[in-house]
Amino acid sequence: MAAKTERTFIAVKPDGVQRGLIGEIVKRFEQKGFRLVAMKFLQASEDLLKQHYIDLKDRPFYPGLVKYMSSGPVAAMVWEGLNVVKTGRVMLGETNPADSKPGTIRGDFCIEVGRNIIHGSDSVDSANKEISLWFKPEELQSYNRHPRVCVFCFVLF
């Protein structure tokens, strides 16, 4: 199957925000070659979070998850690129940080499943739903990256 350009929803959770990890996470996605097409910093409402986590509503941890996610600001983002959903999930690491490999975001920065610093869409369908829940269509940007240019030598590389 050929690689295709798609979009994913990534959110730095309140613990990631409190620990000052937004920049590091953005850096990793940019260095991988993905394109940031939307970003906002907000205090998510309980209603928004209940909609976002609707698939987990029957799980015993659901009320605590919604309460935690509404306890502080989050950085919500949309990233675009080839197979960004699958690759983004690999970059995040396992939901339980204890199972995450070094080099992944969770493997490098967290130790507790209830405070795993980041959310990432688990499928293209989920990504589309999450993006439309958190962002209006006009908030999504479309642009092409320019090639890297050396300003001293005017050489493309």
Side-chain angles (χ1 to χ4, degrees), residues 23-88:
E24 176 65 30
I25 290 165
V26 168
K27 176 183 172 185
R28 287 182 182 215
F29 275 83
E30 285 184 330
Q31 285 181 333
K32 186 69 176 174
F34 296 127
R35 192 170 37 251
L36 181 64
V37 297
M39 183 175 188
K40 61 172 78 169
F41 189 63
L42 72 152
Q43 179 83 34
S45 70
E46 244 185 66
D47 287 341
L48 172 61
L49 294 165
K50 284 179 179 178
Q51 288 179 296
H52 179 87
Y53 289 112
I54 193 75
D55 294 345
L56 303 174
K57 70 176 170 36
D58 295 327
R59 305 292 291 270
F61 58 82
Y62 175 77
L65 175 62
V66 171
K67 182 178 180 183
Y68 169 68
M69 287 295 293
S70 62
S71 71
V74 298
M77 299 174 268
V78 179
W79 290 91
E80 184 175 79
L82 296 177
N83 291 319
V84 69
V85 173
K86 181 178 179 182
T87 304

Side-chain angles (χ1 to χ4, degrees), residues 1-8 34 80-90 124:
M1 186 164 114
K4 63 181 214 170
T5 298
E6 57 196 26
R7 289 180 172 172
T8 194
F34 296 127
E80 184 175 79
L82 296 177
N83 291 319
V84 69
V85 173
K86 181 178 179 182
T87 304
R89 294 288 291 186
V90 171
V124 173

